[in-house]
Amino acid sequence: MTDVDLDAEKYEKHREAGEILANVRNEAADRVEVGASHLEVAEWAEDRIRELGGEPAFPVNISVDEEAAHATPSVDDSSTFGEDMINLDIGVHVDGWLADTAVTVDLSGNPELAEASEAALDAALDTVEAGVETGEIGAVIEETIDGYGYNPVVNLTGHGLGHWEQHTPPNIPNREVDQGIELEAGDVVAIEPFATDGGGKVREGTEEEIFALESEGSVRNRAAREALNQITEEFKTLPFATRWLDGRRAEMALRRLKQQDILHGYPVLKEEDGRLVSQKEHTLIVTEDGCEVTTRL
């Protein structure tokens, strides 16, 4: 096995991103309370990331109850938190090197469901080391969530983190699979168990507030061209929110860019049975005898 220099600059930037993110995650979670504004929490967290020297790797996801991922406030969102189950999923990058984390804030009175995904993540982290197969990690996650009487969300997975790439191989399943990929020292991955009191699958909803660059292209429409210039300069291939774009005609510009297959959208993912979903996620660097969790304070 090739020696990996875990002191290399890219790993230092992953660590820096993780430290910023761990602080922002905890501070943002403290702001989630009944009556607080979704938009204010999201924008506060994104601004705080920048204050601490990072950049958001994707828009702050605020998923409520049956929502599992890809929900972020619109520019004029007036939603406030009720007695809900709230998943905060936040990302940071430093020069394109990423960290990704999530936590459930339960205002719904279902603390055991939140505990199930947290315990599954802890068990998964204890399993990680160079040479372990991803299917083995999935089996530990599934077993832990089953032990709480809930189901893992089986069509969502953890993932690798690349340079300016939020999702790269390997996928880390949330259930046992026969064939997995062997982790290697130096791999940077995000493990994110989702637990539900529903059947354990998500489907795409109709709402889309998050987009990312799919391919280069030229557009004639001025508003679309201005939006594309901002996207390629500021966000590159990372996801962004409609509310991050300058200009009053951002939604129209995004529609045109999507129609030309220059952008793709991320529909909000919802539990098929409309049941609650909890989530817990950390980013880690795989080592020969374990892992280094970058998003834990």
Side-chain angles (χ1 to χ4, degrees):
M1 189 177 287
T2 310
D3 286 339
V4 178
D5 180 8
L6 294 180
D7 294 322
E9 184 182 11
K10 77 170 193 174
Y11 292 111
E12 289 303 321
K13 290 185 174 180
H14 277 300
R15 292 181 181 104
E16 185 181 346
E19 184 177 357
I20 292 168
L21 184 49
N23 281 288
V24 173
R25 175 198 61 227
N26 292 0
E27 292 172 4
D30 287 342
R31 290 171 174 263
V32 175
E33 57 187 22
V34 173
S37 157
H38 290 201
L39 182 59
E40 286 178 11
V41 169
E43 291 190 328
W44 179 88
E46 290 160 2
D47 288 343
R48 183 74 174 130
I49 288 166
R50 298 181 185 104
E51 278 177 25
L52 294 176
E55 288 289 335
F58 52 84
V60 169
N61 283 209
I62 298 178
S63 302
V64 179
D65 290 343
E66 76 276 10
E67 295 173 343
H70 304 161
T72 199
S74 62
V75 68
D76 54 359
D77 201 305
S78 60
S79 304
T80 57
F81 297 108
E83 293 180 350
D84 308 311
M85 180 159 281
I86 309 297
N87 296 329
L88 287 181
D89 194 344
I90 310 176
V92 168
H93 77 85
V94 173
D95 297 333
W97 301 105
L98 284 79
D100 190 354
T101 192
V103 64
T104 294
V105 181
D106 177 48
L107 306 177
S108 71
N110 291 275
E112 284 201 346
L113 182 55
E115 194 180 315
S117 54
E118 184 170 359
L121 178 58
D122 288 342
L125 295 175
D126 287 343
T127 307
V128 171
E129 63 181 358
V132 165
E133 288 207 344
T134 53
E136 190 178 332
I137 299 169
V140 168
I141 290 171
E142 182 175 27
E143 181 183 354
T144 305
I145 293 173
D146 283 351
Y148 277 82
Y150 301 114
N151 290 315
V153 176
V154 297
N155 57 342
L156 290 175
T157 67
H159 50 89
L161 293 166
H163 193 217
W164 295 106
E165 289 185 282
Q166 186 200 0
H167 285 147
T168 67
N171 286 337
I172 314 286
N174 285 320
R175 63 183 172 107
E176 184 176 7
V177 297
D178 290 336
Q179 289 185 316
I181 294 172
E182 198 172 283
L183 294 181
E184 299 179 4
D187 285 348
V188 180
V189 298
I191 299 179
E192 50 181 326
F194 293 82
T196 181
D197 58 353
K201 285 193 173 179
V202 293
R203 59 171 174 79
E204 291 186 350
T206 55
E207 306 95 336
E208 272 182 351
E209 284 291 334
I210 301 176
F211 298 87
L213 193 64
E214 179 78 27
S215 61
E216 299 290 340
S218 57
V219 286
R220 296 177 63 181
N221 177 268
R222 180 178 174 184
R225 193 165 62 244
E226 288 174 354
L228 183 58
N229 287 340
Q230 183 184 358
I231 291 161
T232 53
E233 285 177 23
E234 289 186 31
F235 318 129
K236 298 185 169 58
T237 52
L238 293 175
F240 62 90
T242 309
R243 58 186 162 79
W244 288 2
L245 294 180
D246 302 329
R248 289 177 299 172
R249 306 180 73 187
E251 289 186 11
M252 184 274 293
L254 289 175
R255 270 198 306 275
R256 286 179 180 269
L257 293 170
K258 195 178 170 194
Q259 285 167 356
Q260 292 185 232
D261 296 323
I262 293 172
L263 298 182
H264 67 268
Y266 292 85
V268 175
L269 301 178
K270 300 183 178 185
E271 207 280 326
E272 280 187 343
D273 300 326
R275 304 297 295 179
L276 298 176
V277 178
S278 72
Q279 176 192 15
K280 186 71 190 253
E281 178 182 22
H282 275 309
T283 296
L284 57 101
I285 302 168
V286 179
T287 62
E288 289 293 348
D289 57 357
C291 66
E292 175 189 346
V293 180
T294 63
T295 49
R296 181 189 279 158
L297 285 177

